[in-house]
Structures are given as C-alpha cells and as structure tokens.
Amino acid sequence: MSSLIDFRTCPTTGLKVDRAAEKLIKANAVAAVVFLAIGGLFGLLVALTRWPAVHFLPADMFYLALTAHGLDVLLVWIIFFEMAVLYFASAILLNSRLAGPKWAWTGFGLMLSGALITNVAVLQGQSSVMFTSYVPMMAEPPFYLGIILFAVGALIGCGVFFGTLVVAKREKTYEGSVPLVTFGALTAAIIAVFTIASGAIILIPTLLWSLGLVSHIDPIIYKTIWWAMGHSSQQINVSAHVAVWYAIAAMVFGAKPLSEKVSRTAFLMYILFLQLASAHHMLVEPGFSSEWKIFNTSYAMYLAVLGSMVHGMTVPGSIEAAQRARGLTKGMFEWLRKAPWGNPAFAGMFMSLVFFGFIGGISGVVMGTEQINLIMHNTLYVPGHFHGTVVAGTTLAFMAITYILVPLIFRRELVLRKLATWQPYVFGIGVAGISVFMMGAGTLGVARRHWDMTFADAILPFDYPSAAFLMMGLNGIFAVMAALGGLMYVVIVVGSVFFGRKLAEDEKPSYPEVPPDSAAVGHYGSSESLKIPGTAFLVGIFFVAFVLYYFVNWKYLSEIWPLS
Amino acid sequence: MAITPPSERIWWRQPIARIELIWIIIAFTWGLIMFFMMIYWHGAGEQNLSNEAYQIKPQVFAKHAQDMIDEYQVREESGFPVVHPPPGSDVYLIARLWQWWPILELEKDQSYRLHLSSMDWQHGFSLQPVNINVQVHPGYEMVITVRPDRAGEFGVVCNEFCGIGHHMMVGKIYVVE
C-alpha cells in the first residue's frame, strides 16, 4: 500500500513527507490565515468602537462585528490551524502516510462550507447573537447549521489523525513511542472529540428549535453543555500550543524534553481534568450547588492547572539545558540573553509562553475561583483573560511555528525577513496590552459585549469611573498595534507562499536557522547533572506573582456587600 | 528532541530531576491551598453566593414584583416606581428588555432577600460601582441575601448581551442610612 504513496524526502530533517498530507496541511493553514485576517479585522472594528474617543461603529454593526470576530478567530482560525498541526504531528513527524486523505479533504470541505454559511448568516444581520448564542435569543437556522457542519468536519479531521497514528504504528514508520509533540497533538485531538460531541449535543436541538421543530431549550442546560464545547475547545488550544512550544524548542534549539515522563503526564492531566471547565461559566448562575462549582471549577483540585505549571517549567527548562549544553553557561541568564531573539519562531514562542502564564493563566485561575467570579463575571475582565490565553498564547504560538513551516512545507523562502523579525513583538506586545487593559477595565466593573460605556441613551444615568475610560482608550491603542502585527503576519505569510523563492527539491531553507539536530544535547535528562537555575528563577517570579495576585483579589472580594 | 521518538526506549523508567520534582510539589500544594481557600471562605468569608434558586414562570415572578411595588412604592422617578420595602423582606427585581424594574431603596446594614429573574432573554445583574455580577435567567428565580454596607446611589448595568437595546438597560438601587 505505502509504495503507492507519493513521498518526498525533506532535506532539512531527512523525514519522508507524504505529499497528500503536505497538501492538506497547506490547505488548512491557508484557510486558517484567511479567517484570521477576516476575524482580526472584525476585532479591530470592535476595539475601535469600544475606544470611547473613537466609538466607531453604530450599535447594530458593533454587535454583528463582535459575533463575527468571536466566531472567526476563536473557532475558525484556530481549528483550521489545529488541523494543520494534527496532520503535521502525525504524518510528517511519524514519517508516515496520512490515513484516508479523501476523508481529510471531506472534513476540510465541511469545515470550509460551515464557516462560510455561518459567516454569511452573521453578515446578513439577523444572527447577532454573539459567539455563545445563549438561548432564548435566537439566530437564523444557518448560523447553527454552519457551526455544526464545521464541527463535523473537524471531527473527521481528528479521525484522520487517529487513523494515521494507527497506520504509522502498523507500518513501523518510527521506533519506540511517538514524539512528545505528537503526544501533545493526540491530547488535543482527544479533547476535541469530547468538545465536538458536546457541541453536537446542544447545537443540533438548538438548530431544530430555530427551525420551529422544538418548542423550548432550557437556558441553563444550554449554557452548561455549550461551555463543555466552548471552554473545552480552549483546552484543545492549550494542548496544541504547548505541543507547538515543545516543537519550536526542538526545532530552534534541538532541545530535548527534561523528562518525557513528566511532560507526558502533564498532558495526560489535561485529558483527565480539563473538561470540567464548563463550570467556570456557571459560577454565578442559579441552580448549582457550591460543591459542584468548587470541584469542577478547580479542575478537581487544580490538577489541570498543575499540568500547565509543569509545562511552564519544562519548556523553558529544556531550552536552558540545550543552550547550556552548547556552552552558554555564564551566570543565570546567558542562555536566554544569547537566545535568537531575531528569529520570529523563537521570539513568538517565548512571548507566547510568558504571556500565557503570567496574563492568561493567572487571571484564569483567579477568575475561576468560586467566590471571586462574583466581581468579574461578564465584565471586560473575561475577554481580558482569554485574549491572554487564546491570542497571546495560542495565536502567537501558531504564528511563531508558521515561520518554520512555510519553508519546510510550502517549500518557499520567507520574504520580508526584517518585518518578520519585528512581527512577534508588535503583535505580542499589542495583545498583552489588550489583555491587561481589558482586565483593568473589568476590575473597575466595565461590562463586556457592550456598545456604549457612557450609557448616553439610558433613561437612568450611570457613570463608570474615569480610570475605566482611560483603560479603554489604552485598550484601543494596543488593539491597533496588535492589528498591525496581525497584518504584518498575513502579509509575510501570503507574500512568502505566493512570491517567496521556490526551494529546490533537495535545498535546505536558509531561514530561520535551525541547528543541526546532531547538537550535543542528548543526555542532560538525568537527575544528577540537570542545571537550570535561570528557569528556576523565572518560575519563582511567576509563582510569587500568582500568589500575590490571587490574594489581592480575595481582598477586593471582601470589600463588596456581604452576600449569602 | 520533542519532535522525534524518545531516545530512551523505556522513557518512563528515567529518573525525574530534583528541580522538576520540587516544582511539581510546590505547584500541587498551591493547587490544594487554592482549592481549600474556596471552602474556607464559605465559613469565614462574608461574600458567598447563595445556592437558593427555583424554577418560576415569568408571569408569576412579575406578579410577586407587582405586589411588592403596590405595597411599598414611595415615589416615582423617570417613569420607574421607587420601592422601599421593610428590612428583612423579600424584594424582587425584574430583568426585561431593556429595564431593571423597579428602583429599589434599601437601608444600610439591613439584610434583604433579593429575588432575580428575567422575563425574556438572559440578562446580567451588574451592581456598580460595588462590582457584584450575577447572571439572570428566564424561568429561574435566584434568591440572594444582600446586606448593603454603605449608603449611596448604585447603578445596575446589564452585562449579558440582550439585543440592540442592551446598552440602555440601566437600573438603580438606593441605599439610605
């Protein structure tokens, strides 16, 4: 069978590359970038409207743009890119053919048509129900239909991924266990199956309800199951972007995981506990017991958070160990100072790691605390948090690995390299600003998903503090910066894919530089020799920030009206 | 490397470095502290959301609210009745497109049983500038015991998107000495 498959040999890695898999990776990556551009543009419009001095869109267009923004970036961009990651982590890294490329194309077609159907429904203006589409607010039937088709397509993609793992195992295309990155992708795919099933369970009845065939959908049941999709799908992202961190550390530094056992167990924690997160959205809803909330919102005593905290040490730790093995041993931070900060793959990956931990991670745990959620629920703190996780974390990581994948998979030299050097900084710092200032505004009480924070049209007046207006102005400025960074990314990627110099069949790309994989970092895993003082110091700073910020918010909580 | 199969076939037998182990223990312990902090606050803290909730038909809830308004209305403001119910009583706040109805006038340091429910879509009760945020569903009635601890005029913003008039949905609660 495998003799009929069309392979080429990658000149950089020596891996066999199934051309069918390669085409699918390209198609999914291109679709992803197109929807990132569309969704990003809507995001800019939203931010310009929430910038009090600009207040760009009228109310109806604002809610339309916000619905489209959430849908196109949170769902479409990320899942398309994740499909590319799944095919890469299976067929390419395992040296194998892709199982059922026809199925993969069917999945791709369903995802693409689903995304288009839902986008058209939103643009027609009768489905401005936000990405969450909470019942009993009703969208037009195509809105739900498109999401369902998209989800089915993604499910097929996961099936192709699982199939490829089976094929690779049976055809013995690799020795021993799958690589850690593939293991992380497997984690993402398993969570995706759970997620998509939850989406189907709730969105199919909701579609029937919007068609008039079902009379009533309970809003609390809807919300609980919807978030089993909505939040768990963010855990797909976490698994996928952590896998991408490990991949970039390996590709740029030849880094070896400190301990396969620890890193794989941390991924396993995600599979076992992340699904509980729909509770994060139900902490101030009627009808749930405190026991249910506490157990679920903490992912069963924070065991999934433990997984992320472990990755937070092992990823930079493996980079530090690799750098020290190369002789960058001076002081605590020579390894980091002399890291290739001009390589956008590394710069993007490292910022993704730092911002995900410090901004997205800490704020998520704090906000997901049963009682503290009272002072944050549905304020701008919430989008502040998830722009820290999904944009500064996932999107930035995905952008970073694109710089490696374009030369390897599209076989084109990267164009506009000076611009590429700057891109992760412009985008990353822009998004970090968005997150921080939205969290600031949320702490001051500003509502999310709200067109007019001055309440000019309200019968009863209310004024937010002036600091909140300052926060929203700064948010607008950083959003413009992030949008610029996003535009730079799209220009570089599209430019390279269409106009980059074609690489010859056996030519290695010259940029970004990837070290020879024979680098001497094979054996630092043993417990006697491992020295990562710089990472330990950084992790220490993270821990102190986490503890302080956590208790500061309990202090804030203790100042509100007594409730029971 | 993370992109190649583990170099040691029996990778699960490899020892874990001490520094990793220390961090795992610290992170695990911190998780337990955060977990028990939530339970601790139920005993020691004053800000815990009640678990009391009922299913209720919107018209029944509206009737309860109207009965309260009829009995305790003290004045009118911009078309909204202002209600001053006695301390300790059940007070009702209707969420509907796009109003919080009526305006409540409460007394400082007195407890009230605040009932919240929606007549139509979901709404978000966001008491400002105190910053208490609770989701309000149609068909469900949530009962929270509140004890306002400072006097003044408070806004009730809607912070769950509820259609085109969402940004006009502002209510008011007075707390008097």
Side-chain angles (χ1 to χ4, degrees), chain A residues 177 218 285 370 377 559, chain B residues 11 23 42 135 137 140 150:
Chain A
S177 308
D218 183 90
E285 316 284 313
E370 189 210 359
H377 175 78
E559 288 165 0
Chain B
W11 49 264
W23 176 235
H42 274 276
Q135 191 83 6
H137 283 260
Y140 289 89
R150 73 207 84 158

Side-chain angles (χ1 to χ4, degrees), chain A residues 225-240:
Chain A
I225 304 178
W226 194 92
W227 279 111
M229 170 184 75
H231 206 116
S232 307
S233 71
Q234 305 321 307
Q235 326 292 11
I236 311 175
N237 305 344
V238 174
S239 309

